[in-house]
Amino acid sequence: QVQLVESGGGLVQAGGSLRLSCRASGNIFSMRVLGWYRQYPGPRREPVAIINRDGDAEYGDSVKGRFSIDRDNDKNMVYLQMNDVKPEDTAVYFCIARTSLAFDRDPPYWGQGTRVTVSS
């Protein structure tokens, strides 16, 4: 099992910045990739960014050039730096853990989520 705990969500104005953090614990050695997904009102979930232990990362098309992901392997932490945020970035952001650096299927492990609201 892998446990994921997010922090750093909140209210931010459009054009501003926000940094999300996630602490991973448990059997994280089997989950080489950490990252972030987001969920809008309703069932739709969207991949945001993922990163492996070597620092290789993938981003969703809607956040490329604005968001960046990084991780601290020693502290089992993953971060999402959100810059130039837009109202359409408003969502609940989930920390995830998975084995592959791909958006091909839903990750097996999810945190509880942290809400980000962007005001216009």
Side-chain angles (χ1 to χ4, degrees):
Q1 291 293 321
V2 175
Q3 292 79 45
L4 303 163
V5 179
E6 306 96 336
S7 60
L11 177 64
V12 59
Q13 287 190 329
S17 297
L18 200 64
R19 185 170 174 84
L20 305 183
S21 302
C22 172
R23 180 178 300 279
S25 61
N27 188 21
I28 60 172
F29 295 105
S30 64
M31 295 290 143
R32 295 173 293 172
V33 175
L34 298 176
W36 299 88
Y37 277 51
R38 64 188 179 186
Q39 184 167 8
Y40 304 100
R44 185 167 70 97
R45 287 179 172 176
E46 178 183 70
V48 177
I50 52 177
I51 186 170
N52 65 15
R53 288 181 172 273
D54 296 327
D56 302 315
E58 294 288 338
Y59 293 90
D61 290 339
S62 61
V63 306
K64 286 179 180 177
R66 300 188 298 120
F67 293 8
S68 64
I69 188 171
D70 63 287
R71 65 187 284 173
D72 185 329
N73 292 327
D74 291 336
K75 295 181 179 178
N76 296 326
M77 297 287 294
V78 63
Y79 307 94
L80 183 69
Q81 179 65 42
M82 306 168 60
N83 296 327
D84 189 24
V85 296
K86 303 176 181 181
E88 51 264 42
D89 294 321
T90 295
V92 177
Y93 285 72
F94 293 89
C95 183
I96 62 93
R98 60 181 300 151
T99 57
S100 62
L101 192 67
F103 293 138
D104 52 350
R105 342 179 237 282
D106 276 351
Y109 294 104
W110 297 73
Q112 292 299 307
T114 185
R115 183 175 301 276
V116 173
T117 302
V118 182
S119 62
S120 57

